[in-house]
Amino acid sequence: MLIAGNWKMNTDVSSSVELARGVIQESEHAGAVNVAVCPPAPLLSVVGEALAGSHVRLGAQNMYWVDSGAFTGEISAQMLSSLGCHYVIVGHSERRQYFGETDVEVNKKVRQSVKAGLVPIICVGERLNQRKAGKEQEVVAAQVQHALEGMEVRASDSFVIAYEPVWAIGTGETATPEQAQGMHKFIRTLVRQQFGNQIADGLHILYGGSMKPSNAEELLIQNDVDGGLIGGASLKADIFGQIIQAAQKL
Ligand code: 13P
């Protein structure tokens, strides 16, 4: 089980450190649950320092796919790994939607992150109109297949997939446990076809989209839901802590 907080474009130097300390406290009894936080890039360093010695892992929210060079404003995978990042979120729907990130770019980022020893959290998910048209599996299959194309996978923990239906992100609306389970099972089947049983069975497939303490348990209890990628509810340590506890009970 993996519970990861995506802080998006929130917090600053002092509040990020305070939140990180709170998350450490909340996850002291997390047991076998892996906990991660993904602060904004300029705060990775201070949050990384705050997390030192704890078992809460650090993740970034984005990266560029080139080793180094004249790419003003971009961040390389190597920079992230030198900052102590374990994870990097790739292909979040907000990046696809507001910054025009394509499946081809997502694939380049996935391959570069793995090459640098990072674990990409690859985000996929359909929009509301696509679900209404009954095309959610088609959309997600294309995103998963593009993202994983040509990726070298050695172990089931070398990447993570997050199913985040766009209509459930930041809207307060959540996929039902059945909708989440159905899509997660489908994603695992796609991974099985490409990488075989061992990778597919060990893979963490996270659910994201308005996960909160009141719905965490019913989602996390599903067979193919192996954790959560949490936005809004990860910005308060005690609320995030309640989700960690829900995971820990299962
Ligand atoms: P919310 O939990 O705020 O809906 O955000 C989900 C998300 O986008 C996590 O990456």
Side-chain angles (χ1 to χ4, degrees):
M1 199 72 94
L2 167 62
I3 300 295
N6 174 7
W7 294 358
K8 306 193 179 182
M9 200 175 73
N10 293 294
T11 72
D12 59 15
V13 170
S14 59
S15 59
S16 67
V17 169
E18 197 182 324
L19 180 53
R21 289 189 183 135
V23 172
I24 294 171
Q25 269 188 348
E26 293 293 335
S27 52
E28 257 163 19
H29 305 290
V33 177
N34 293 302
V35 179
V37 293
C38 305
L43 306 173
L44 285 168
S45 181
V46 286
V47 171
E49 279 168 30
L51 297 180
S54 80
H55 73 269
V56 179
R57 284 174 164 164
L58 186 65
Q61 297 177 13
N62 185 31
M63 52 160 275
Y64 194 52
W65 60 79
V66 174
D67 286 342
S68 63
F71 300 99
T72 302
E74 291 299 330
I75 299 161
S76 73
Q78 197 275 332
M79 290 172 195
L80 297 181
S81 85
S82 73
L83 280 163
C85 287
H86 184 86
Y87 298 105
V88 57
I89 298 172
V90 175
H92 192 280
S93 67
E94 286 150 15
R95 298 225 48 92
R96 295 178 192 256
Q97 193 175 342
Y98 305 135
F99 303 96
E101 213 164 281
T102 65
D103 281 332
V104 172
E105 291 170 348
V106 170
N107 177 253
K108 288 182 189 171
K109 292 181 182 193
V110 166
R111 286 194 288 172
Q112 180 75 0
S113 63
V114 171
K115 207 175 90 182
L118 295 166
V119 175
I121 300 178
I122 303 164
C123 298
V124 299
E126 79 286 357
R127 291 207 271 264
L128 185 59
N129 61 335
Q130 295 166 325
R131 178 165 280 268
K132 279 189 171 156
K135 289 195 161 57
E136 65 273 17
Q137 287 200 342
E138 193 184 311
V139 169
V140 168
Q143 289 173 336
V144 169
Q145 279 155 353
H146 277 115
L148 301 182
E149 209 175 294
M151 184 172 73
E152 279 191 40
V153 174
R154 285 188 202 86
S156 59
D157 59 359
S158 47
F159 67 107
V160 171
I161 295 182
Y163 170 56
E164 302 206 306
V166 179
W167 48 270
I169 295 178
T171 57
E173 204 169 318
T174 320
T176 64
E178 295 72 28
Q179 285 171 326
Q181 167 57 23
M183 188 61 87
H184 282 227
K185 191 172 178 196
F186 176 67
I187 292 170
R188 203 179 301 282
T189 305
L190 296 171
V191 172
R192 194 178 304 285
Q193 284 162 0
Q194 186 168 349
F195 296 114
N197 287 338
Q198 208 182 337
I199 301 289
D201 291 335
L203 180 71
H204 278 139
I205 305 179
L206 312 183
Y207 169 79
S210 300
M211 189 185 270
K212 44 189 180 262
S214 60
N215 60 25
E217 189 173 341
E218 61 182 20
L219 288 159
L220 294 171
I221 204 166
Q222 301 301 316
N223 262 345
D224 289 288
V225 178
D226 311 307
L229 183 57
I230 295 119
S234 72
L235 294 172
K236 291 249 163 30
D238 55 335
I239 296 184
F240 190 56
Q242 290 173 40
I243 300 177
I244 297 168
Q245 280 155 29
Q248 204 253 326
K249 275 196 286 176
L250 299 171

